[in-house]
Amino acid sequence: MTATSMASRPAAPVRIAREGLTLAWRSLLKIRHSPDQLLDLSLMPITFVLLFTFLFGKAVAGDWHAYLQYVLPGVAVQALVFASMNTALGFNSDLRSGVFDRLRSLPISRAAPLIGRVLGDAVRNVVTLAVVAVVGAVLGYRPHAGPLPVLGACALVLAFSLAMCWAAALAGLLARGPETIGGFVFVVTVPLTFGSTVFVPTADLPGWLGGWVRINPVTRVSEAARALVTGAPAGLHIRDSLLWTAAVLAVFAPLAILAYRRRT
């Protein structure tokens, strides 16, 4: 390679980012050819909002409308955690169908297909969050804070869902089949989402369960989002949310890249 061609070639991080974004766009284009994917993005959050608001509302708060003001930020986090687990199925399917093998034949970075798939799923999570917000607004949810705190809450929830996509990617790369992934999703998402303050405050939970709920990352992200949209003091909650997001990303992103290189 000549000095001129080397100088004109983008630096490795820039090239990887550009290739990853290109493959993320390719992943999103699948929705145009398979519109049924929009059902997964919309039906699950709609079901979560309606089910938990009307099922728990009267029992917990005495009135479902009052309970909606408490539960909706947490349900948004829960919906995105469940949606992030679809990344595991997508990676496992691509591995078994040979998609990654075909992408390896292209003159692109080894990590670009992995990054592109995760980024594409992260964009899908934006749709899930938007559906939760619209359904909540139709039912009567109104944030008490201004636009900037609400956008900040959305950014925190989406950042955490991106980190969870990397955890799901690792599971999809290590799993032998979709049956294994189903067990993983149940074991991970149920303790994280139901063992949190998504549905009830921590003070109402006993002993060891309350201890787990207080350190649960879903609790920290839910509390941060709830504080931001209600105008309550949110500094410590935001700090804990960002720390958990960074920790999940720092652990699972390198492990997923390593597993991807070994599998491909």
Side-chain angles (χ1 to χ4, degrees), residues 15-25 111-113 115-117 119-120:
R15 188 175 70 255
I16 293 172
R18 186 178 63 189
E19 293 166 353
L21 289 173
T22 300
L23 292 175
W25 177 247
I115 295 172
R117 177 78 200 204
L119 290 179

Side-chain angles (χ1 to χ4, degrees), residues 218-260:
V218 170
T219 291
R220 306 317 327 151
V221 178
S222 298
E223 291 296 324
R226 189 175 289 124
L228 282 169
V229 298
T230 58
L236 292 177
H237 297 307
I238 294 174
R239 181 203 65 184
D240 293 344
S241 173
L242 292 175
L243 287 175
W244 264 115
T245 299
V248 173
L249 193 61
V251 171
F252 289 103
L255 290 177
I257 292 174
L258 180 62
Y260 171 74

Side-chain angles (χ1 to χ4, degrees), residues 44 54-55 68 84 102 115 139-140 157 179 190 213 218 223:
M44 180 184 65
F54 292 106
L55 183 64
L68 177 67
S84 299
R102 291 194 292 273
I115 295 172
L139 292 178
V157 175
E179 299 83 5
V190 170
V213 169
V218 170
E223 291 296 324

Side-chain angles (χ1 to χ4, degrees), residues 196-236:
S196 68
T197 58
V198 167
F199 304 109
V200 293
T202 308
D204 297 334
L205 299 175
W208 65 268
L209 181 57
W212 157 249
V213 169
R214 282 188 288 273
I215 65 170
N216 186 342
V218 170
T219 291
R220 306 317 327 151
V221 178
S222 298
E223 291 296 324
R226 189 175 289 124
L228 282 169
V229 298
T230 58
L236 292 177

Side-chain angles (χ1 to χ4, degrees), residues 12-13 16-17 20 87 91 95 100 104 109-119 162-174 248-264:
I16 293 172
T87 303
F91 268 100
L95 277 174
F100 287 132
R104 277 181 57 201
S109 166
R110 287 281 302 276
L114 180 66
I115 295 172
R117 177 78 200 204
V118 171
L119 290 179
L162 173 62
M164 291 300 296
C165 281
W166 283 102
L170 177 63
L173 290 166
L174 296 179
V248 173
L249 193 61
V251 171
F252 289 103
L255 290 177
I257 292 174
L258 180 62
Y260 171 74
R261 287 176 174 173
R262 289 183 174 179
R263 287 295 303 269
T264 59

Side-chain angles (χ1 to χ4, degrees), residues 80-123:
L80 263 67
V81 169
F82 274 87
S84 299
M85 293 300 106
N86 289 330
T87 303
L89 290 170
F91 268 100
N92 193 261
S93 175
D94 286 349
L95 277 174
R96 291 184 291 109
S97 62
V99 170
F100 287 132
D101 290 332
R102 291 194 292 273
L103 292 175
R104 277 181 57 201
S105 64
L106 300 176
I108 58 176
S109 166
R110 287 281 302 276
L114 180 66
I115 295 172
R117 177 78 200 204
V118 171
L119 290 179
D121 288 346
V123 173

